[in-house]
Every structure is written in C-alpha cells, then in structure tokens.
Amino acid sequence: MELSHYIQLAVGLVLSVLAFAAAYVMPMRVMTPALLVLAPFEIINSQYGTSSTGLVYLVSLAMLLRGELRHFPLLGAIIGILLAYALSLATANAAPLDHIIYLIRIFPGFLLFYIAYNYVRKKPDPARFITILLIINILVLAVCILQLIGGSQQVVLFGIQEFSLMANRTTQSRLNGPFGAEFTSEYLALASLLLAYLIMNKKKDIHWKPWILWAMLAANIAFMVATGSRGGFLVLLIGLSWGGFWFRRQIGTVRVVASLIAAMFIGSIMIVIITQFTEFNVFIDRVENTEIKNGVLDTRSVTWPTAIEAIKGKPVLGYGPRLRLHEDLLKPIPGHTPIPYPHSLPLFLLYTLGIVGLAAYSVFFILLGKRLYAGTRRNTNPEFRGLSILGFLLLAIFLIDEIKIEFLRFIQSDYQAIVFTIFGGFLAMADRARLRSKAKTPHPDRQ
C-alpha cells in the first residue's frame, strides 16, 4: 500500500492537531512523558516533514499557552545557533526551500531540549525521567530485534510501505537499527552507560529489577556488535572506564570493579553470539582490518578530504543549513555540487554553516558541559551529583563519537529527538544538583 508524500503530510497534520487538542486538556504529567517517548519514533516520514515534527511543534505551543514551559537555559547560545542558520540560509546559492524544510525539521530538537528540561525541573525526583529513557531503550531494542529477525528482508509494519523499518546493510552484513548503524551504535553506547550507572548504584527509587537492567545492557551490547560499528564500542569502553574511575568513591571501588568485569564478560559473550550465530558478523573483521591512511581512519579517508576541500570554497558561512539537497544525485541543481556526508560533526558544521556555525554550536556544547560539570561539584544531594556526573560523561562521550559521524543530518530528526531529550533532562538534574536551596537561587537558567 503506497501513500504519496502529500497524503502522509496531511495525515501527519491531522494527527498533530489532535495531539495539540489532547495536550491542551490533558495533564502534563501524562502528555509530556508520552511526547518524549514517541518523538524519536516517526510513524510518518515524508520529504516535507515527519509526524514527530508536527507533534512537537503543536504540543510545545500548548505547553507555552498553559505556562508549562517556564525555564529556557542556554537560550543565548541557542539563539546564536539560529542566527548562524539564518546567515547561512541567506547566502545559500541553491534550493532555498530545501534548506527551509531542513530548519523546520531540526528545530523540534531544541524544543524537546526545553520540554525535557522543564519536565525534570518540576519533578521531585529523577526516577520518572530515567524511566522514560529506559522505555525509549526498550523500543529501540524492539526495532533491532525485528530487524534481526527480518535479516535481508525489510520489515514492513501492518503491510504499509510508509511504516517500513530501515532496511539492513545486507551487503555489508550490518544491522541498521532505527537510526542507521553508526547512530544506533552511538545511542546504544549512551544507553548502556546509563544502565551501568543504575546497576552499580542499585537505586531503590528506580523500580526496575536488576536482572532487567542487566538483560537490557546485554542486548545493547549485542546489537552494537551487530551494527558493526567500531567507534560506538570504543566510546562505550572509554565511558565505562572513565565512569568507573569517577564513581569509585561514591559507589565503592569493589562494586565498580565487579560491575565492570561483569559487563566485560557479558560483552564478550554477546560478541561471540552475534558473530557466530547471526548474519551480522563483521564486527571483529572490521576491528582487525582497521587501517590509518594518511593520518585518517580508513572509512573516512575519502569523505574527510572531500569535505575539507569543499569547505575552502565558503569557509565563513558555509553552503546552507542542509548538506544533501532533495534528489541532488538524480538531477543537477544550479549552484550545488553534492558531496557525501563527511562523517564528522565539525566538518559537517563547517560545510553547512561555516566557521560561524561551528563557533555557535561549540559555544552551546561548552556551556552545556560547564553547567553539567557544575552539578558535579556544588551539591548537597548525592543522588543529583551522581546523575550530574553521568550527564557530563554522556556529553563527553557523545562529542568524542561525533568526531566520526554527524547527528544533524536531514534524515536524522528521530535521533536528534533522543539527543536533545537526554541532555535537556540531565541539564535540569545538574541545575538542581548545584542549587543549595530554591530560595537562594530560584532561576538558575538566567545565569
């Protein structure tokens, strides 16, 4: 059953309007968690927008009208990013509509950042937000399981082509997951660090059985191996080692070491199971055959030099917000010479937004990291201090991995939803951690 992009867009708008009506009358304690869970999983995805795009816009409007969005941290940095986009758009030489559509699809990420932040700031404990992240993890694993079962056959839900899951890279024997192999691996690495933290802490207010958390961790590692991504696995190892060192006093050295050994043992088992008993078995070969060519990783030896050469043409403001224009490989577009995705967030930003855009995003991430780190030092509540450390660790690991991939692609609005949700929520926990009392500093967002 085929639906045109216009029909998809119409259906998406109808669903979004219904969501707006529901958000306006339903309690936010119900609507907000539902939005944060559903946003990364786009039921409808056309070239003009997704179901999640309209959903986030209209629910955000309803929340503003109801006074539910009161805090806007890092607003100046985000305005700087939007100005960089505006300048790049104004100087783009080709297909301005394509760039505008890109901006429409990417802006909901920042809205989700504020929705998650305000939701966590309002809650007396972080358990509900952690539960939201765990539910998202389970849904990601469910998609991976369906793809694993489907193998070379693309999974089509309910027989509707537009509800198809991403096809696997069967020629490369790699599982794509819901976001593509590299992004799925990066997400699973971040989710695994959260699980490791919960397992080591044995949080009493997180009502999830330890065996469930261990099973999720094992599944995360298994599907990371199935994606064949080396980078995601590397940053997970870095994160576990760094996190274990950081938490050794709070959790206890013995428990940290025991948990890390157990995680490594489970990881080894998962590597054997995936590589020996499934068709997604290239992980070990990719690790063993890793090469450095002219100082660049083998899989980036073409894309990085290509992007660097193109960046020289418009280094200040870039070529426009969207790197790959619609059907730019099928038809010539005046003023646009398509290049492959550079597989590097810094190079992606330099190509699309130039030095101005790279600087704007750098300011955002630096200030975000500074606020997260502040929560690790100024705290009277050990629970929020631990989560602040975890948030800072997740940001650091995310940025390290983004050196070899870029989450801001046009087609990655689903993954962007998860990224902004995670860091919006952890920023709220860090801000709560660094406040000695609400009476002393009621509005940390303005600092």
Side-chain angles (χ1 to χ4, degrees):
M1 178 171 140
E2 284 282 342
L3 299 176
S4 72
H5 286 291
Y6 296 105
I7 294 177
Q8 290 182 63
L9 181 61
V11 172
L13 289 174
V14 171
L15 292 176
S16 297
V17 170
L18 293 176
F20 169 79
Y24 197 76
V25 299
M26 287 177 62
M28 283 297 110
R29 67 178 183 274
V30 176
M31 193 64 196
T32 303
L35 174 66
L36 295 178
V37 168
L38 293 176
F41 304 97
E42 298 165 338
I43 299 174
I44 295 173
N45 190 347
S46 76
Q47 62 174 317
Y48 303 107
T50 70
S51 53
S52 297
T53 302
L55 182 67
V56 173
Y57 276 121
L58 292 179
V59 172
S60 299
L61 176 60
M63 294 179 72
L64 280 170
L65 294 175
R66 293 181 56 173
E68 297 289 342
L69 293 181
R70 301 177 181 179
H71 307 289
F72 298 91
L74 307 183
L75 182 59
I78 291 178
I79 290 176
I81 291 174
L82 298 180
L83 287 175
Y85 277 123
L87 291 172
S88 182
L89 174 64
T91 58
N93 295 329
L97 180 59
D98 281 9
H99 296 292
I100 292 173
I101 292 174
Y102 171 84
L103 295 178
I104 291 173
R105 289 186 58 160
I106 197 174
F107 188 65
F110 295 104
L111 294 176
L112 286 169
F113 178 81
Y114 285 129
I115 290 171
Y117 181 90
N118 281 268
Y119 177 75
V120 176
R121 274 293 304 270
K122 194 173 182 180
K123 296 300 175 185
D125 63 75
R128 292 186 180 181
F129 180 68
I130 298 299
T131 297
I132 289 172
L133 298 183
L134 293 177
I135 291 173
I136 292 174
N137 194 169
I138 290 175
L139 292 176
V140 170
L141 291 176
V143 173
C144 291
I145 290 171
L146 290 174
Q147 289 182 333
L148 184 68
I149 295 172
S152 59
Q153 183 69 36
Q154 185 177 22
V155 178
V156 180
L157 301 178
F158 313 114
I160 301 176
Q161 191 63 36
E162 281 69 26
F163 291 174
S164 300
L165 301 182
M166 186 176 292
N168 291 316
R169 299 186 188 181
T170 52
T171 57
Q172 300 177 355
S173 298
R174 300 179 67 183
L175 186 86
N176 259 326
F179 316 118
E182 296 290 342
F183 296 105
T184 297
S185 179
E186 181 179 86
Y187 164 74
L188 292 173
L190 298 176
S192 295
L193 290 174
L194 170 62
L195 289 167
Y197 172 80
L198 296 176
I199 290 169
M200 287 190 292
N201 268 281
K202 296 183 178 180
K203 307 299 294 181
K204 295 180 180 179
D205 53 345
I206 304 296
H207 304 295
W208 292 68
K209 299 293 185 182
W211 69 266
I212 297 178
L213 300 178
W214 276 111
M216 291 174 63
L217 179 60
N220 282 355
I221 295 174
F223 287 119
M224 285 182 67
V225 174
T227 65
S229 172
R230 298 160 295 185
F233 212 83
L234 176 61
V235 296
L236 175 59
L237 293 176
I238 295 173
L240 289 173
S241 302
W242 188 5
F245 177 79
W246 211 338
F247 285 113
R248 69 192 187 282
R249 293 183 180 178
Q250 178 179 336
I251 299 173
T253 302
V254 174
R255 183 182 296 177
V256 167
V257 172
S259 298
L260 290 178
I261 292 175
M264 292 174 63
F265 177 72
I266 291 175
S268 300
I269 294 176
M270 292 301 104
I271 290 175
V272 172
I273 291 175
I274 294 297
T275 56
Q276 296 298 319
F277 301 103
T278 77
E279 59 188 287
F280 305 105
N281 54 6
V282 298
F283 177 76
I284 294 179
D285 289 339
R286 283 172 58 83
V287 171
E288 291 179 343
N289 295 322
T290 299
E291 296 180 3
I292 303 297
K293 298 180 179 180
N294 298 322
V296 179
L297 190 66
D298 52 359
T299 54
R300 306 296 187 264
S301 60
V302 174
T303 59
W304 285 13
T306 300
I308 292 171
E309 190 62 31
I311 288 167
K312 296 177 182 178
K314 296 189 69 174
V316 179
L317 297 177
Y319 291 87
R322 182 171 171 177
L323 188 143
R324 295 300 302 275
L325 304 183
H326 181 56
E327 296 184 340
D328 60 0
L329 293 179
L330 302 178
K331 60 183 180 182
I333 299 176
H336 172 69
T337 301
I339 67 169
Y341 281 112
H343 287 73
S344 170
L345 180 60
L347 293 179
F348 177 93
L349 291 173
L350 283 172
Y351 180 88
T352 56
L353 305 180
I355 296 172
V356 172
L358 178 61
Y361 266 101
S362 297
V363 168
F364 171 76
F365 284 122
I366 289 171
L367 292 179
L368 176 59
K370 183 179 178 181
R371 288 273 283 265
L372 289 170
Y373 187 74
T376 72
R377 303 183 65 178
R378 308 171 187 175
N379 177 51
T380 57
N381 186 327
E383 177 182 35
F384 282 106
R385 179 178 184 274
L387 290 168
S388 298
I389 293 173
L390 177 62
F392 182 82
L393 178 64
L394 291 176
L395 178 63
I397 293 303
F398 168 76
L399 292 177
I400 290 173
D401 198 57
E402 285 292 308
I403 294 174
K404 53 82 176 174
I405 198 66
E406 57 277 309
F407 80 108
L408 292 174
R409 294 182 183 184
F410 174 75
I411 57 175
Q412 302 301 153
S413 54
D414 46 4
Y415 183 57
Q416 293 157 19
I418 289 182
V419 170
F420 283 109
T421 294
I422 289 174
F423 293 123
F426 275 96
L427 176 60
M429 287 187 275
D431 280 349
R432 293 179 64 178
R434 69 189 180 92
L435 295 177
R436 296 184 181 276
S437 69
K438 293 183 178 180
K440 286 185 178 181
T441 314
H443 300 293
D445 321 291
R446 296 175 183 172
Q447 298 180 5

